[in-house]
Amino acid sequence: MVTGTYGGADHNSSGAPTSLSSAVRRVLWVIRLVCVVVAGALLLTGITVAVAPRIWGAANAHEQVPVQLPGFEPLAQRSYVYDRAGVEIAVFEKENIQRFTLAQVPADVVKAVLAVEDKDFYGHKGVNVRSLVRATLSNFSAGANRQGASTITQQVVKNEFLAGLPRDGRYKLLQVHYSLMLEKTMSKDQILERYLNTIFFGNNAYGLAAASETYFGEPVEQLTLAQGAFLAGLIRSPSGYDPIRKPERARARFAQVLNRLVDEKLIDDTEGARLLTEWPIPERVQVLPGRVTTPTYFTEALQDYLLNRSTILGADEQERRSALLRGGLKIYTTIDPNLQGMAETASAALPQNAQGFASAIVSLDASSGAVRVMVGGRGFKRNVSEVNMALVPRQTGSSIKLFILSAAIQAGVQPNDVIDGTAPCTLPNPGDPKQPFVITDKSASRPVSTLAVMTAASINCAYSRLAQIVGLHRVVDTTYRMAHSPYLFEGQTRKERGAAPIQPFASFATGANEMSPLDMASGGQTIANQGLHHDPYFVERVDRSDGSNLYTHSDPGVQVLDPGVALTTISVLKGVITSGTGRKYPLANGRPAAGKTGTQIDNTNSWFVGLTPELATAVWVGNPNGYVPMVNVPEFVAEGVGSVQGGTYPEKIWKIYTDAALASGPPQDWPPPPANTRAGARLYLPGSECLAALISGTLPDPNAAATTTTAPDPAAPSTLAPAPVERPVVQPVDSGTTIAPDVLDPNAPVPTVDPSKFVVYDCSNGIPGAIVTSQRNPVP
């Protein structure tokens, strides 16, 4: 063997190092050992520094207040709505949660839930250690979170205390820690009761009672073992096993649950097989017998009123929404189920038609303003027919004249005062002086006649003139005060109202402004209640979930019109039904009533506002989709109605409803109006109508045309030659000015003169048949 030296190290014949290499290895091992020891020392030092304060805190924990879990938040509860008779008519809720006690749940149902969700619930201390370890190992080996190990206690902790926290390692540790704490502060039954009250079962059902109603239409007390088992199977994945949308998956899950029940010896194999083949999977969402969940025009309006138009349930919207949808309130409303049914029957007097014309009705208790009836159209249907025409403003036609009449009588006008209603007529237009307001319809024309006659005949020229005589701004103010409600008040924006604010239009009397049936009924209530206005209201009282009272309605009212003024207005409006545009449909048995018809231009909206001492009712007929003329509608023509006016279907509907509503009681009437305090005066509009004083001769009787009932027979022989008539001599006088826009005093007098002493004539024309002197004097 040949040997040699390479680099100072000995090698064998193959060239490998010998004794020197072994020495190097020993040195390297020592160096590594030293490094490990040093690193370990440094690590231990770091851990000691980091953990020492915590160890010290733990050692002195007896000197600190122990950590405590907060209490459970109160359970959300649905609110119930009742009609005037105490019958449930609606449920308001965000989540369907119905509180119950564990004692209400059948024992077999509890056993089924525990068998599926946590069979060792009554044996562990909040955490099932064996299941936790098994799940952890399974998830670690799979590299994903495939197996859960949450006990019922842990699920309660997750839902009550950990919502919103990130699902990291700390989350799981907190869940375990809080579960152990919860088991020390609450009993097993308390934890289970909370769990069964809050766990989600799909289709907005939270808790076992809500699920029992949703899937089986039964109270929780009546659940069977099979039903309880089925519900227990939904807990893992309510949407994945939804029987309504995924029936096959729901049945497959039910089979798994039945196998679990067999394993736990709650049922045998035979019973499990029978249930799987015979037991029906729920196919639709159900409700408890007698429970109403279908919305109506009234219940939708009530919800909007409580959330957006009143402070009954709280000062801000969030507070109100929480109270209504989660507060478990009992809301007792004003709606009368008998009257509502009568109104819905009456609305059927309008024939079904291809063009979609419908009716809306609002009827208020005349003495209080309580909403007794609300018909918003053909019937509320979600996403199909949701618009409540009882609350939608539409142009009113002549029905608005009841506000002008009230304002005029409050200002001192009497029913026997006379006014010119001759058509066509040209009147000033305060909103646009360069464009006079012209009424050309000669079919509604009357010469100078009493206000009572003009009202019964609904003469537009007379009432358009009267509105300006009273003062358009004062008429607007009176309208706001008479019809005041959460839906109509001065200062309201277009967005708040859904229509423009009421304007002092020259065309006010012909219906240029828009009002809703609720607005019109509210104004009518003021008249029917002898001038005392009550805002229309929906709610009599609200009780909290514990039975204490939250709200009781109380409204002393506002005296908008003097009682005598309202009674005089009523006496005039009675003439509409007895001899005017509403004479076709008087109430049965001569029952006293007052009212006003209204027909908008082109018959696009037709109205009747009917009043009795008991009820103030407004009926609208039109097209919910827009201003569509109701002329030559085939279905209406078949009943002899070529054009729909206020005195046709609207008044007919009012009559059918009111006759039925009041049939059980004797006819009631208002007290008689106060007597007129003076002779009839001549109403005139300064600037449009001028005055002349009588110097000599005799003026023609201004009421002659209105009081003549029988025309002379032209074929009869004349026995006397006409007597010569002396031409009167008149002298122009200053007619004064119109009521200023800022005059809102309801009692400020209007321009009138004694018709026996003064001639009122069109300023643009002369005075036919009279001798006019040139001198002009102020009106005496």
Side-chain angles (χ1 to χ4, degrees), residues 663-712:
S664 61
Q668 302 289 329
D669 198 357
W670 295 272
N676 294 329
T677 59
R678 55 173 173 76
R682 175 67 157 88
L683 298 162
Y684 73 96
L685 179 60
S688 177
E689 295 177 301
C690 291
L691 299 181
L694 178 65
I695 303 301
S696 63
T698 303
L699 295 174
D701 181 3
N703 294 322
T707 57
T708 299
T709 57
T710 304

Side-chain angles (χ1 to χ4, degrees), residues 417-418 678-684 691-692 733-735 750-760 779-780:
D417 289 341
V418 297
R678 55 173 173 76
R682 175 67 157 88
L683 298 162
Y684 73 96
L691 299 181
V733 296
D734 189 350
S735 60
V750 300
T752 60
V753 292
D754 184 343
S756 67
K757 297 179 180 179
F758 292 90
V759 176
V760 179
V779 63

Side-chain angles (χ1 to χ4, degrees), residues 271-347:
E271 178 67 5
R274 185 189 69 81
L275 289 175
L276 184 60
T277 57
E278 298 179 6
W279 193 79
I281 295 291
E283 297 178 345
R284 60 184 178 84
V285 172
Q286 302 187 54
V287 296
L288 295 178
R291 173 141 297 153
V292 178
T293 59
T294 304
T296 66
Y297 291 115
F298 176 79
T299 57
E300 290 293 290
L302 172 67
Q303 184 174 23
D304 172 71
Y305 170 78
L306 290 172
L307 291 178
N308 303 312
R309 299 180 184 273
S310 82
T311 57
I312 290 175
L313 303 184
D316 59 72
E317 183 182 355
Q318 185 60 41
E319 183 181 358
R320 296 191 293 268
R321 185 171 295 277
S322 177
L324 181 63
L325 302 182
R326 300 174 64 88
L329 304 176
K330 295 186 182 299
I331 303 164
Y332 298 89
T333 71
T334 60
I335 203 75
D336 187 302
N338 294 325
L339 298 185
Q340 179 71 20
M342 294 169 184
E344 291 173 357
T345 299
S347 67

Side-chain angles (χ1 to χ4, degrees), residues 393-404 437 439 458-461 463-465 467 472 475 479 497 499-516 520 596-607 620 627:
R394 283 292 183 90
Q395 289 185 326
T396 62
S398 293
S399 61
I400 199 71
K401 290 172 182 171
L402 63 86
F403 295 99
I404 302 172
F437 176 54
I439 298 175
S458 196
I459 303 303
N460 287 334
C461 282
Y463 260 87
S464 294
R465 182 174 279 110
L472 289 169
V475 170
T479 303
R497 185 167 184 245
I502 302 174
Q503 298 294 325
F505 294 130
S507 54
F508 189 100
T510 57
N513 284 290
E514 293 180 315
M515 303 280 279
S516 72
M520 297 302 291
K596 186 69 193 76
T597 59
T599 308
Q600 192 56 36
I601 187 171
D602 296 328
N603 303 86
T604 55
N605 297 278
S606 294
W607 295 79
W620 166 87
Y627 284 61

Side-chain angles (χ1 to χ4, degrees), residues 542-693:
V542 178
D543 291 341
R544 299 182 180 90
S545 59
D546 62 3
S548 63
N549 181 256
L550 173 65
Y551 167 83
T552 299
H553 177 78
S554 178
D555 176 17
V558 177
Q559 195 72 45
V560 175
L561 304 173
D562 293 343
V565 168
L567 292 173
T568 300
T569 302
I570 289 168
S571 70
V572 175
L573 293 175
K574 283 182 175 180
V576 173
I577 297 175
T578 58
S579 61
T581 55
R583 62 187 179 275
K584 187 175 182 180
Y585 294 108
L587 294 182
N589 303 317
R591 183 181 292 273
K596 186 69 193 76
T597 59
T599 308
Q600 192 56 36
I601 187 171
D602 296 328
N603 303 86
T604 55
N605 297 278
S606 294
W607 295 79
F608 188 78
V609 181
L611 311 176
T612 67
E614 301 91 346
L615 297 170
T617 306
V619 179
W620 166 87
V621 173
N623 193 310
N625 297 318
Y627 284 61
V628 182
M630 293 182 287
V631 179
N632 295 326
V633 179
E635 296 87 348
F636 302 164
V637 172
E639 295 192 347
V641 180
S643 59
V644 179
Q645 298 176 324
T648 59
Y649 288 124
E651 188 184 14
K652 182 179 181 180
I653 291 170
W654 167 78
K655 171 184 167 55
I656 295 172
Y657 158 68
T658 307
D659 279 345
L662 303 180
S664 61
Q668 302 289 329
D669 198 357
W670 295 272
N676 294 329
T677 59
R678 55 173 173 76
R682 175 67 157 88
L683 298 162
Y684 73 96
L685 179 60
S688 177
E689 295 177 301
C690 291
L691 299 181

Side-chain angles (χ1 to χ4, degrees), residues 72 75 100-103 121-122 152-153 156 160 182-198:
F72 292 145
L75 283 176
F100 60 92
T101 64
L102 185 61
F121 174 71
Y122 280 100
I152 283 177
T153 307
V156 171
E160 299 290 340
L182 184 63
E183 292 263 355
K184 293 178 181 179
T185 57
M186 298 186 72
S187 70
K188 285 286 188 177
D189 284 353
Q190 288 175 317
I191 295 171
L192 182 58
E193 181 176 290
R194 183 69 178 192
Y195 174 77
L196 294 177
N197 267 279
T198 57

Side-chain angles (χ1 to χ4, degrees), residues 14-88:
S14 62
T18 55
S19 60
L20 182 60
S21 61
S22 299
V24 171
R25 285 196 298 273
R26 285 195 294 271
V27 172
L28 292 177
W29 181 86
V30 171
I31 293 174
R32 283 198 298 271
L33 177 63
V34 171
C35 290
V36 169
V37 171
V38 172
L42 292 175
L43 177 62
L44 181 62
T45 302
I47 292 174
T48 302
V49 172
V51 174
R54 290 171 173 77
I55 296 176
W56 180 259
N60 293 276
H62 62 279
E63 298 178 358
Q64 300 178 4
V65 177
V67 175
Q68 294 183 348
L69 290 176
F72 292 145
E73 290 290 328
L75 283 176
Q77 299 179 64
R78 55 169 45 165
S79 293
Y80 297 92
V81 181
Y82 304 93
D83 63 23
R84 193 184 181 200
V87 176
E88 181 185 311

